[in-house]
Amino acid sequence: MSASTFVDEKRLAQRLAAMARIGATEKGGVNRQALSKEDAAAQRQLVQWGEALGLKPSVDAIGNLFLRLEGTDASAPPVLSGSHLDSQPTGGKFDGVFGVLAAFEAVEAIVASGVKPRASIDVVAWMNEEGSRFAPGMMGSAVFAGARELDAVLAVVDKHGVSVKDALRDVRETLRDVPERALGERVSAYVEAHIEQGPHLENEGLTIGVVTGIQGKRTFAVRVEGEAAHAGTSTRAERKDALLAAIAMVQALADALHDAEDIVKFTIGRFDVKPSAPSVVASSVDFSIDLRHPDSNVLQALGDKIQPICEAHAGVCAVRVTELSKAMSLDFPEPMRALIRDAASGLDLRHRDILSTAGHDARYLHYVCPSAMIFVPSHLGLTHCETEYSSSSDLTAGARLLADVLSKLAA
Ligand code: HGY
Ligand code: MN
Ligand code: MN
């Protein structure tokens, strides 16, 4: 019998519920930001489940967590499957964690099937996919894939000045019994299950999305420097008002990046004013830019407009634009997509090809091994919010499909 028949809906639901209690928010979501104590608790929980199943845990220097089901051929590079445990500050109960627990459930089903995989299978939880506390996101998978330097990432600080290095040390403390493994070990293939984070599969009555690729994304940090001044005594002529300059930049960017077809995704999610006091002219503003587009040439051209537009609207203030990350659109290899389509057909799961407009760790694994993604429907497409929801039957179907795909890849 194929591994998918050993996937257990109740067990998967119980594990998702247990993880949802770690960092639970009052409105039914989670706040489990990267390298927080909640993130550490979630990793600890995963290790405990893994050890009960006989999986061997390990962590690498950037805090990625692995649970290995040993294959019969130790010389064969492992198959990896997983996603992330960290969440947005008002995140949902399924983004990322579903991919980790679906991989875990798939491995448990493979063990239950009695079939010994030739290649080892690693369940992986990538460090800081979301990039909410430490920007940019996908730090763990990017360093694993060699796309970002370890030391540069360890030096990144959060808004309180805490570095990735120091936060990672604290998390490592709670996992001190877990052995370290070398960074960036050879991988034979990677498959990530994830909620769609869009409405299409649900609208079309489909259960599975065979992800064709991931749209490109560029992220920036903008610092506007002015001068603090008294709200009552300083004249407009003498002011260096960082807030008014930042607003002029934002409006000019929104105008320049607007497209009637609504394909360009331009987001300013963070806007920090200092000293943020009602009677003080803003001395500085820090804001984020998240720019995405499926066409890499368009993404390049639009992203290149950002710095000149900010400089042109700085007025008497100074401005510094830093590009934090740049990842062009990618297409997953057709043989991997065909493998998922065939396995979905074999399980009579209604499916179609779909582009991912959200970013995922698979974006980096794609450059180190044949990679692919499996989507399951998101109710109303709601995500990065506390009302995020996917049905147990859809989540289980995704895990069943993943079990058969991993079995084939590790055979
Ligand atoms: O931003 C993203 O696309 C991902 O959900 N972190
Ligand atoms: Mn995610
Ligand atoms: Mn996310």
Side-chain angles (χ1 to χ4, degrees), residues 37-82:
K37 60 181 185 335
E38 294 80 11
D39 188 15
Q43 294 184 51
R44 180 82 261 168
Q45 174 63 82
L46 193 67
V47 168
Q48 278 164 359
W49 285 332
E51 286 174 334
L53 187 57
L55 305 185
K56 289 191 174 51
S58 61
V59 286
D60 65 16
I62 194 56
N64 298 313
L65 173 61
F66 304 82
L67 297 173
R68 172 163 293 186
L69 172 65
E70 294 286 357
T72 55
D73 176 358
S75 67
V79 173
L80 260 60
S81 182

Side-chain angles (χ1 to χ4, degrees), residues 83-84 86 94-97 129-130 138 192 194-195 197 358-361 373 383-384 388:
S83 188
H84 57 95
D86 69 297
F94 304 97
D95 178 359
V97 62
E129 189 277 343
E130 294 287 16
M138 298 180 209
E192 178 167 354
H194 205 285
I195 56 172
Q197 299 182 294
H360 303 285
D361 292 302
M373 292 191 73
T383 187
H384 279 194
E388 184 179 271

Side-chain angles (χ1 to χ4, degrees), residues 2-18:
S2 68
S4 53
T5 49
F6 294 88
V7 167
D8 182 323
E9 178 167 359
K10 191 158 164 277
R11 184 170 59 198
L12 176 59
Q14 283 171 341
R15 290 205 173 109
L16 281 163

Side-chain angles (χ1 to χ4, degrees), residues 3 6 13 26 62 65 69 97 120 156 163 202-203 209 247 271 279 310 381 396:
F6 294 88
E26 282 171 19
I62 194 56
L65 173 61
L69 172 65
V97 62
S120 297
V156 171
S163 69
E202 182 182 57
N203 288 348
I247 288 171
F271 195 87
S279 301
C310 289
T396 305

Side-chain angles (χ1 to χ4, degrees), residues 64-145:
N64 298 313
L65 173 61
F66 304 82
L67 297 173
R68 172 163 293 186
L69 172 65
E70 294 286 357
T72 55
D73 176 358
S75 67
V79 173
L80 260 60
S81 182
S83 188
H84 57 95
L85 291 174
D86 69 297
S87 79
Q88 293 291 344
T90 51
K93 297 197 284 274
F94 304 97
D95 178 359
V97 62
F98 164 62
V100 175
L101 295 182
F104 191 100
E105 181 60 33
V107 163
E108 184 148 14
I110 290 169
V111 170
S113 74
V115 173
K116 291 249 181 272
R118 181 183 61 81
S120 297
I121 302 174
D122 284 352
V123 174
V124 57
W126 300 111
M127 191 280 281
N128 187 27
E129 189 277 343
E130 294 287 16
S132 56
R133 178 184 177 192
F134 299 106
M138 298 180 209
M139 285 181 167
S141 52
V143 169
F144 179 89

